Amino acid sequence: MISSVLVANRGEIARRVFRTARALGLSTVAVYSTADARMPYVDEADAAVQLPGNAPGETYLRADLIVEAARRAGADAVHPGYGFLSENAAFAQAVIDAGLTWIGPPVDAISSMGSKIEAKKLMAAAGVPVLAELTPAEVAAGDLPVLVKASAGGGGRGMRVVSRLADLAGEIEAASAEALSAFGDGTVFCERYLASGRHVEVQIMADQHGTIWAVGERECSIQRRHQKVVEEAPSPLVERIPSMRPALFDAARKAAAAIGYVGAGTVEFLADETGNFYFLEMNTRLQVEHPVTEETTGLDLVELQFAVAAGEHLPPEPPPTVGHAIEVRLYAEDPTRDWQPQTGRLHRFQVGDARLSGTNVAPAGEKVPESGLRVDSGVEDGSEVSPYYDPMLAKVIAYGPDRTAVARRLAGVLGRAKLHGVGTNRDLLAWILRHPAFLAGDTDTAFFGEHGVGPGVDDAVVRVSALAAALADAAGRCDPVRVPSGWRNLPSQLQRKSYRVGEVVHEIGYRLTRDGLVVDGNIILLDSTSERVVLEVDGVRRMFEVAAYGGLTCVDSALGSVQLSTVERFTDPAQQMAAGSLVAPMPGTVVRVGVQVGDVVTQGQPLLWLEAMKMEHTIAAPVDGVVGELKVAAGQQVEVGAVLAVVGEDA
């Protein structure tokens, strides 16, 4: 009998498992790094054990420390969550050797799928369609483009698309280094790259007595950097080709049977528009996107994981899929700047009137509610987004009877969310959900390559939001008798305030007179406080909610949400940087330096590589020139804004 479970993970993953564990009457144990000490999941656990350090390699990837933490806290079971050690056979064996219950598949099954190279051979032997594997040494020009993939792990890490043979060696080296850092295994291989496939996967659940469920399929084709952004169940492609579903389910069950699988897992396929599909990999764990399957079946997949681990029987058949569910991954990143991760404080996190993950899921077989919203989140107001881990803040899931209605509702919820502080991909997600191609079910892996990343917030919206911010600031500084900010007896120049959004500075000019607001354009001030400004814009009344956090002001309205950084009127000369300076866009570790002082470089040429949030980021030359200074070396930790190098016209 399990009485206490340690979750060998962090953030929203740990919170999700904790909720089901508590519902089952189990006590919970968290592990946390130094950077995660104040994260919500730590306080929610009944007991918590610190793993000293920050980097995954010294904390969440240390199997010995996690097993010891379970012993110290009195846990009798370990749930791995997803990511980190969840697909590490040696960790599973260490848990079992310690006399603890492993809430996961058999060690041999993990080993079988732990190497994507060996997994493809097993699947081919079991009759599952596969794409031919290429060893890096045998790739020829006729094979291009190819995809370099890490043999261990997943989540888009250790993956590179190569279109030129001359780039292959360098990309293999980069992919191997990234895989080694993320998974502790730098083995990579190549396969033919299909630029516009459909990513379709099947949820598997199997017990110890030979019953294997194919619990519906999911489509996860919209991806960036080979990592999923939008997931849904059922798949629009499979819905369009009804004969595809039985073949998919049969292939998934064959894959599970071939390795004696037990527990929750996912068999992933790459499909084309005609319904042909090929095995990609099998994830021997719960998936990030499992909520869309839960919402359309009424199952609690985590509860089933506990039941299967305890030796219970599954019913002969899974419940049917009812309705439609869409999940979007809310990341702390900037899609317009090559998906650059964002770090810092999340001052406010409010997404709709959502229920928390794992609650109010209908019993197996019952129809899910006709409309609803679910948020699986690892953060809350005041949380710090660190550079050490994946930048996902939350998964926002909407479900209902109709795909189009679900997409519309989810887009509306995202648009009204209050996300203050660190930048997010919220606008991109809402744009995807409203895009005609998405609504038509045309969602292949080349979605962003074909359609871009959306227009962003309109410049006119930014300017009127900046005006609202300035007026709210002025209202907050008025004296008790409500003398307008900047009031003069006779008309004078406009008051001016400047804000930065990204790299663009917006200067706002306005004057408050006895006759009202004087400003460029047809705008009338109706009311203002330090937190709320009401304007009439071109004859339409608009309300703007304003929240100030030091030098950052966040403005939310029906027109869109804007984050404005105050530009100070006077700058400290000591803080100014030389022209051509390359600065760190986030805290991280310099993993490689590709140039020396005096080297001639061209605009866009990679100069050095920074590792942050488990991904490798390229820092390129901003202009043609000569490397005048190098201020960092490989292995060095840097803070956001640190000058890394200077490129000038001459040395």
Side-chain angles (χ1 to χ4, degrees), residues 496-500 505-508 565-569:
R496 300 195 178 276
K497 196 170 182 66
S498 296
Y499 296 97
R500 177 177 284 107
V505 174
H506 298 268
E507 184 180 79
I508 304 303
S565 298
T566 303
V567 178
E568 299 297 336
R569 292 187 178 184

Side-chain angles (χ1 to χ4, degrees), residues 387-454:
Y388 301 106
Y389 315 112
D390 187 275
M392 189 172 73
L393 302 176
K395 303 175 306 193
V396 186
I397 307 102
Y399 56 95
D402 174 75
R403 181 177 183 269
T404 301
V406 169
R408 186 189 306 118
R409 181 166 189 264
L410 185 52
V413 166
L414 290 168
R416 291 187 294 273
K418 303 289 193 306
L419 305 171
H420 297 170
V422 63
T424 74
N425 65 338
R426 175 257 301 277
D427 292 335
L428 169 73
L429 297 175
W431 171 78
I432 292 170
L433 294 166
R434 294 181 173 122
H435 198 284
F438 177 82
L439 295 174
D442 185 11
T443 56
D444 63 28
T445 54
F447 188 90
F448 292 128
E450 183 176 350
H451 302 293
V453 295

Side-chain angles (χ1 to χ4, degrees), residues 538-557:
D538 295 328
V540 179
R541 179 188 170 103
R542 301 281 188 185
M543 194 269 283
F544 299 83
E545 294 183 66
V546 182
Y549 309 95
L552 177 71
T553 303
C554 302
V555 182
D556 296 299
S557 73

Side-chain angles (χ1 to χ4, degrees), residues 32-34 51-63 65-66 389:
Y32 63 96
S33 68
T34 303
L51 307 175
N54 290 318
E58 59 188 5
T59 54
Y60 300 107
L61 291 174
R62 286 285 301 275
L65 295 183
I66 292 173
Y389 315 112

